[in-house]
Amino acid sequence: MIKSSTTIALVPQINYGPWIYWHDLEKSMEKTSNLGFDAIELFTPASDTLEVENLKQLLQKFDLELSAVGTGAGKVIHGLTLTDPDSEIRKKAISFISDMISFGAAFGAPAIIGSMQGNVLPGNDRELTLSWLAEALEILGEKAGKLGTFLIYEPLNRYETNLLNTMKSGVEFLEKLNTKRVKLLADLFHMNIEEADIAESIRIGASHIGHIHFADSNRKPIGMGHTEMTSVASAIKEINYSHYISAEAFPEPNSDEAAQKTIDSFNKYFL
Ligand code: LER
Ligand code: MN
Protein backbone atom coordinates (compact mmCIF):
# COMPACT_ATOMS: atom_id res chain seq x y z
CA MET A 1 0.00 0.00 0.00
CA ILE A 2 1.19 3.50 -0.79
CA LYS A 3 0.98 5.71 2.31
CA SER A 4 0.79 9.49 2.72
CA SER A 5 2.92 11.66 4.99
CA THR A 6 3.32 15.31 5.90
CA THR A 7 6.62 16.82 7.00
CA ILE A 8 7.19 18.70 10.27
CA ALA A 9 10.24 20.91 10.84
CA LEU A 10 11.28 21.24 14.49
CA VAL A 11 14.68 22.92 14.09
CA PRO A 12 14.49 26.29 15.88
CA GLN A 13 17.28 27.82 13.74
CA ILE A 14 15.29 27.23 10.53
CA ASN A 15 12.10 29.12 9.77
CA TYR A 16 11.55 28.55 6.08
CA GLY A 17 12.14 25.62 3.78
CA PRO A 18 10.40 22.65 2.13
CA TRP A 19 8.40 21.40 5.11
CA ILE A 20 4.63 21.63 5.47
CA TYR A 21 4.30 22.16 9.21
CA TRP A 22 6.50 24.06 11.58
CA HIS A 23 7.66 24.03 15.21
CA ASP A 24 4.48 22.86 16.98
CA LEU A 25 4.63 19.04 16.99
CA GLU A 26 1.30 18.23 18.61
CA LYS A 27 -0.77 20.74 16.63
CA SER A 28 0.90 19.61 13.39
CA MET A 29 0.15 15.99 14.17
CA GLU A 30 -3.47 16.80 14.95
CA LYS A 31 -3.87 18.61 11.62
CA THR A 32 -2.09 15.81 9.75
CA SER A 33 -4.42 13.26 11.27
CA ASN A 34 -7.58 15.30 10.67
CA LEU A 35 -6.77 15.51 6.95
CA GLY A 36 -6.48 11.71 6.75
CA PHE A 37 -2.72 11.38 6.23
CA ASP A 38 -1.08 8.14 7.40
CA ALA A 39 2.16 9.54 8.81
CA ILE A 40 4.55 12.35 9.65
CA GLU A 41 8.19 12.79 8.59
CA LEU A 42 10.28 14.67 11.14
CA PHE A 43 13.15 17.12 10.78
CA THR A 44 14.66 17.55 14.25
CA PRO A 45 17.92 19.12 15.54
CA ALA A 46 19.12 15.81 16.97
CA SER A 47 18.18 12.23 17.80
CA ASP A 48 17.30 13.14 21.40
CA THR A 49 15.12 16.18 20.65
CA LEU A 50 11.97 14.16 21.29
CA GLU A 51 11.45 11.50 23.91
CA VAL A 52 10.63 8.15 22.35
CA GLU A 53 7.84 7.36 24.81
CA ASN A 54 6.25 10.77 24.42
CA LEU A 55 6.29 10.54 20.61
CA LYS A 56 4.88 7.00 20.77
CA GLN A 57 1.94 8.29 22.78
CA LEU A 58 1.31 11.15 20.38
CA LEU A 59 1.45 8.83 17.36
CA GLN A 60 -1.05 6.55 19.03
CA LYS A 61 -3.30 9.46 20.06
CA PHE A 62 -3.48 10.74 16.48
CA ASP A 63 -3.38 7.34 14.80
CA LEU A 64 -0.25 8.20 12.80
CA GLU A 65 3.00 6.49 11.93
CA LEU A 66 6.49 7.96 11.65
CA SER A 67 7.44 7.71 7.96
CA ALA A 68 11.09 8.82 8.20
CA VAL A 69 13.53 11.07 10.06
CA GLY A 70 15.75 13.66 8.38
CA THR A 71 19.42 14.07 9.30
CA GLY A 72 20.14 17.43 7.64
CA ALA A 73 20.53 19.21 10.99
CA GLY A 74 23.91 17.52 11.31
CA LYS A 75 25.09 19.69 8.44
CA VAL A 76 23.02 22.81 9.06
CA ILE A 77 23.78 23.07 12.79
CA HIS A 78 27.10 21.24 13.17
CA GLY A 79 28.71 21.51 9.71
CA LEU A 80 29.08 17.71 9.44
CA THR A 81 29.09 15.67 6.22
CA LEU A 82 29.96 12.07 5.38
CA THR A 83 32.49 13.21 2.76
CA ASP A 84 34.47 15.88 4.61
CA PRO A 85 38.22 15.49 3.88
CA ASP A 86 38.76 15.58 7.67
CA SER A 87 38.29 12.03 8.98
CA GLU A 88 37.28 13.31 12.44
CA ILE A 89 34.38 15.22 10.90
CA ARG A 90 33.35 12.16 8.88
CA LYS A 91 33.36 10.12 12.10
CA LYS A 92 31.15 12.68 13.83
CA ALA A 93 28.79 12.70 10.85
CA ILE A 94 28.50 8.90 11.01
CA SER A 95 27.84 9.08 14.74
CA PHE A 96 25.16 11.78 14.30
CA ILE A 97 23.34 9.72 11.66
CA SER A 98 23.81 6.50 13.63
CA ASP A 99 21.98 8.06 16.61
CA MET A 100 19.22 9.26 14.28
CA ILE A 101 18.89 5.72 12.87
CA SER A 102 18.39 4.40 16.42
CA PHE A 103 15.75 7.03 17.14
CA GLY A 104 13.82 6.29 13.94
CA ALA A 105 14.13 2.54 14.41
CA ALA A 106 12.21 2.78 17.70
CA PHE A 107 9.25 3.52 15.40
CA GLY A 108 10.28 1.31 12.46
CA ALA A 109 11.18 4.48 10.52
CA PRO A 110 14.26 4.91 8.31
CA ALA A 111 16.69 7.85 8.47
CA ILE A 112 17.34 9.94 5.34
CA ILE A 113 20.78 10.98 4.13
CA GLY A 114 20.26 14.09 2.03
CA SER A 115 22.49 17.10 2.59
CA MET A 116 24.69 15.08 5.00
CA GLN A 117 26.21 13.38 1.95
CA GLY A 118 28.21 16.56 1.24
CA ASN A 119 30.17 17.35 -1.92
CA VAL A 120 33.47 16.73 -3.67
CA LEU A 121 35.23 19.84 -2.38
CA PRO A 122 37.55 21.90 -4.61
CA GLY A 123 40.94 20.22 -4.98
CA ASN A 124 39.65 16.86 -3.75
CA ASP A 125 39.51 13.58 -5.62
CA ARG A 126 36.07 12.46 -6.79
CA GLU A 127 36.73 8.71 -6.46
CA LEU A 128 38.17 9.11 -2.97
CA THR A 129 35.20 11.26 -1.91
CA LEU A 130 32.75 8.68 -3.26
CA SER A 131 34.63 5.95 -1.40
CA TRP A 132 34.01 7.86 1.85
CA LEU A 133 30.31 7.97 1.02
CA ALA A 134 30.30 4.23 0.25
CA GLU A 135 32.12 3.43 3.51
CA ALA A 136 29.57 5.41 5.50
CA LEU A 137 26.59 3.83 3.73
CA GLU A 138 28.01 0.34 4.43
CA ILE A 139 28.29 1.08 8.16
CA LEU A 140 25.01 2.94 8.51
CA GLY A 141 23.03 0.59 6.27
CA GLU A 142 24.11 -2.42 8.33
CA LYS A 143 23.24 -0.58 11.54
CA ALA A 144 19.74 0.18 10.22
CA GLY A 145 19.34 -3.45 9.13
CA LYS A 146 20.29 -4.74 12.60
CA LEU A 147 17.56 -2.52 14.04
CA GLY A 148 14.98 -3.90 11.63
CA THR A 149 14.80 -0.94 9.27
CA PHE A 150 16.73 0.45 6.30
CA LEU A 151 18.65 3.60 5.43
CA ILE A 152 17.64 6.06 2.73
CA TYR A 153 20.11 7.77 0.41
CA GLU A 154 18.79 10.74 -1.56
CA PRO A 155 20.24 11.89 -4.91
CA LEU A 156 19.97 15.72 -4.85
CA ASN A 157 19.98 18.27 -7.64
CA ARG A 158 23.27 19.74 -8.87
CA TYR A 159 22.88 22.94 -6.83
CA GLU A 160 22.94 20.91 -3.60
CA THR A 161 25.51 18.20 -4.32
CA ASN A 162 28.00 17.20 -7.00
CA LEU A 163 28.09 13.57 -5.82
CA LEU A 164 25.10 11.75 -7.35
CA ASN A 165 22.23 13.64 -8.99
CA THR A 166 20.14 11.01 -10.75
CA MET A 167 18.23 7.85 -9.93
CA LYS A 168 20.37 5.83 -12.34
CA SER A 169 23.63 6.95 -10.72
CA GLY A 170 22.11 6.14 -7.31
CA VAL A 171 21.11 2.64 -8.41
CA GLU A 172 24.59 1.96 -9.85
CA PHE A 173 26.22 3.22 -6.65
CA LEU A 174 24.04 1.09 -4.35
CA GLU A 175 24.48 -2.02 -6.46
CA LYS A 176 28.25 -1.87 -5.84
CA LEU A 177 27.78 -1.86 -2.04
CA ASN A 178 27.83 -5.02 0.08
CA THR A 179 24.98 -3.83 2.28
CA LYS A 180 21.49 -4.37 0.92
CA ARG A 181 19.99 -2.11 3.57
CA VAL A 182 20.23 1.19 1.71
CA LYS A 183 17.34 2.38 -0.40
CA LEU A 184 16.92 5.44 -2.60
CA LEU A 185 14.76 8.48 -2.13
CA ALA A 186 12.95 9.72 -5.22
CA ASP A 187 12.45 13.44 -4.53
CA LEU A 188 10.24 14.64 -7.38
CA PHE A 189 11.58 18.20 -7.07
CA HIS A 190 15.22 17.17 -7.51
CA MET A 191 14.19 14.77 -10.27
CA ASN A 192 12.37 17.54 -12.13
CA ILE A 193 15.73 19.32 -12.40
CA GLU A 194 17.97 16.33 -13.15
CA GLU A 195 16.03 13.62 -14.94
CA ALA A 196 15.17 13.57 -18.65
CA ASP A 197 11.98 11.65 -17.84
CA ILE A 198 10.81 11.36 -14.23
CA ALA A 199 8.49 8.38 -14.85
CA GLU A 200 11.22 6.41 -16.64
CA SER A 201 13.66 7.18 -13.80
CA ILE A 202 11.14 5.85 -11.27
CA ARG A 203 11.08 2.62 -13.29
CA ILE A 204 14.90 2.55 -13.26
CA GLY A 205 14.84 2.98 -9.47
CA ALA A 206 12.06 0.35 -9.10
CA SER A 207 12.57 -1.81 -6.00
CA HIS A 208 15.50 0.37 -4.84
CA ILE A 209 13.12 3.23 -4.06
CA GLY A 210 12.22 3.30 -0.35
CA HIS A 211 10.78 6.80 0.08
CA ILE A 212 9.32 9.52 -2.14
CA HIS A 213 9.36 13.27 -1.57
CA PHE A 214 6.21 14.70 -3.08
CA ALA A 215 6.76 18.20 -4.45
CA ASP A 216 5.99 19.92 -7.72
CA SER A 217 8.48 21.45 -10.20
CA ASN A 218 8.71 24.64 -8.09
CA ARG A 219 8.85 22.67 -4.82
CA LYS A 220 5.32 23.75 -3.96
CA PRO A 221 2.71 21.07 -3.18
CA ILE A 222 1.89 18.76 -6.10
CA GLY A 223 -0.66 20.51 -8.29
CA MET A 224 0.91 23.97 -7.89
CA GLY A 225 3.68 23.55 -10.48
CA HIS A 226 4.08 22.01 -13.91
CA THR A 227 5.24 18.46 -13.16
CA GLU A 228 3.22 16.09 -15.33
CA MET A 229 2.03 13.92 -12.46
CA THR A 230 -0.17 11.40 -14.29
CA SER A 231 2.73 9.51 -15.89
CA VAL A 232 4.80 9.78 -12.70
CA ALA A 233 1.96 8.33 -10.59
CA SER A 234 1.50 5.50 -13.12
CA ALA A 235 5.19 4.62 -12.84
CA ILE A 236 5.03 4.68 -9.02
CA LYS A 237 2.11 2.25 -9.11
CA GLU A 238 3.70 0.13 -11.84
CA ILE A 239 6.78 -0.61 -9.70
CA ASN A 240 4.44 -1.72 -6.86
CA TYR A 241 5.80 1.00 -4.61
CA SER A 242 4.64 0.35 -1.06
CA HIS A 243 6.35 2.94 1.13
CA TYR A 244 5.56 6.58 1.92
CA ILE A 245 4.86 9.55 -0.30
CA SER A 246 5.91 12.44 1.89
CA ALA A 247 5.19 16.11 1.28
CA GLU A 248 8.60 17.74 1.38
CA ALA A 249 7.26 20.94 -0.15
CA PHE A 250 7.16 24.63 0.74
CA PRO A 251 4.27 25.66 3.00
CA GLU A 252 2.73 27.69 0.18
CA PRO A 253 0.50 29.62 0.30
CA ASN A 254 0.50 28.55 3.99
CA SER A 255 0.86 25.29 5.94
CA ASP A 256 -2.85 24.48 6.09
CA GLU A 257 -3.50 25.02 2.40
CA ALA A 258 -0.30 23.20 1.46
CA ALA A 259 -1.38 20.18 3.51
CA GLN A 260 -4.87 20.24 1.99
CA LYS A 261 -3.47 20.55 -1.54
CA THR A 262 -1.10 17.66 -0.87
CA ILE A 263 -3.75 15.26 0.42
CA ASP A 264 -6.08 16.21 -2.45
CA SER A 265 -3.32 15.40 -4.94
CA PHE A 266 -2.37 12.21 -3.09
CA ASN A 267 -5.99 11.02 -3.16
CA LYS A 268 -6.36 11.98 -6.81
CA TYR A 269 -3.34 9.99 -7.94
CA PHE A 270 -3.00 7.16 -5.45
CA LEU A 271 -6.36 6.24 -3.92
C1 LER B 1 17.21 18.60 0.40
O1 LER B 1 16.97 19.38 -0.72
C2 LER B 1 16.25 17.48 0.45
O2 LER B 1 15.59 17.17 -0.50
C3 LER B 1 16.09 16.77 1.73
O3 LER B 1 15.20 15.71 1.59
C4 LER B 1 17.39 16.22 2.24
O4 LER B 1 18.06 16.98 3.13
MN1 MN C 1 14.06 15.60 -0.41
Side-chain angles (χ1 to χ4, degrees):
M1 200 184 76
I2 301 178
K3 295 167 281 183
S4 58
S5 176
T6 58
T7 49
I8 307 176
L10 299 172
V11 179
Q13 292 92 330
I14 298 179
N15 291 304
Y16 191 73
W19 295 278
I20 299 288
Y21 290 119
W22 291 80
H23 302 321
D24 185 337
L25 177 65
E26 188 159 350
K27 192 92 207 133
S28 305
M29 289 177 75
E30 186 182 0
K31 289 179 171 187
T32 297
S33 177
N34 287 343
L35 286 171
F37 282 93
D38 299 305
I40 52 166
E41 177 182 322
L42 289 176
F43 179 48
T44 61
S47 58
D48 59 359
T49 304
L50 302 174
E51 278 186 28
V52 169
E53 275 318 306
N54 186 33
L55 181 59
K56 274 192 180 159
Q57 282 173 15
L58 286 174
L59 288 165
Q60 201 169 16
K61 177 176 174 186
F62 294 114
D63 191 23
L64 291 169
E65 288 174 273
L66 183 63
S67 62
V69 291
T71 63
K75 182 175 183 201
V76 179
I77 300 177
H78 305 289
L80 304 173
T81 75
L82 295 174
T83 54
D84 195 289
D86 181 338
S87 66
E88 283 308 307
I89 293 181
R90 295 202 299 278
K91 257 190 223 156
K92 284 184 189 162
I94 288 177
S95 162
F96 184 92
I97 295 169
S98 180
D99 289 345
M100 204 58 103
I101 288 171
S102 300
F103 171 67
F107 307 88
I112 299 169
I113 296 177
S115 57
M116 284 288 278
Q117 68 192 269
N119 275 283
V120 186
L121 297 179
N124 281 264
D125 183 74
R126 179 170 178 83
E127 289 315 308
L128 179 62
T129 304
L130 284 170
S131 77
W132 292 330
L133 177 65
E135 245 171 64
L137 294 184
E138 296 281 13
I139 295 167
L140 295 168
E142 284 307 290
K143 157 133 197 184
K146 281 203 186 86
L147 296 179
T149 178
F150 55 92
L151 178 70
I152 301 171
Y153 170 75
E154 179 173 22
L156 302 174
N157 76 68
R158 68 191 67 187
Y159 306 105
E160 296 187 36
T161 187
N162 57 11
L163 292 174
L164 305 173
N165 304 120
T166 62
M167 192 57 62
K168 184 163 180 280
S169 62
V171 168
E172 286 167 0
F173 195 74
L174 292 197
E175 286 184 346
K176 280 190 256 159
L177 298 181
N178 293 312
T179 179
K180 299 298 162 222
R181 291 300 191 155
V182 186
K183 288 189 173 286
L184 292 171
L185 201 163
D187 182 318
L188 302 184
F189 164 72
H190 296 305
M191 293 177 80
N192 166 67
I193 296 171
E194 296 297 340
E195 308 288 359
D197 180 333
I198 301 179
E200 183 52 25
S201 303
I202 297 275
R203 285 185 210 103
I204 290 169
S207 62
H208 286 288
I209 301 177
H211 200 67
I212 291 178
H213 276 158
F214 199 45
D216 218 314
S217 52
N218 47 13
R219 220 171 200 180
K220 291 181 183 181
I222 288 281
M224 296 179 76
H226 59 73
T227 292
E228 193 280 287
M229 194 58 208
T230 303
S231 67
V232 177
S234 296
I236 291 170
K237 288 182 272 197
E238 200 180 297
I239 62 166
N240 290 318
Y241 181 74
S242 62
H243 301 277
Y244 290 97
I245 294 199
S246 183
E248 191 185 67
F250 290 121
E252 295 290 346
N254 53 59
S255 293
D256 290 341
E257 288 182 64
Q260 182 69 57
K261 189 81 190 165
T262 294
I263 197 70
D264 289 347
S265 292
F266 180 85
N267 290 340
K268 174 176 168 189
Y269 293 109
F270 299 107
L271 273 197

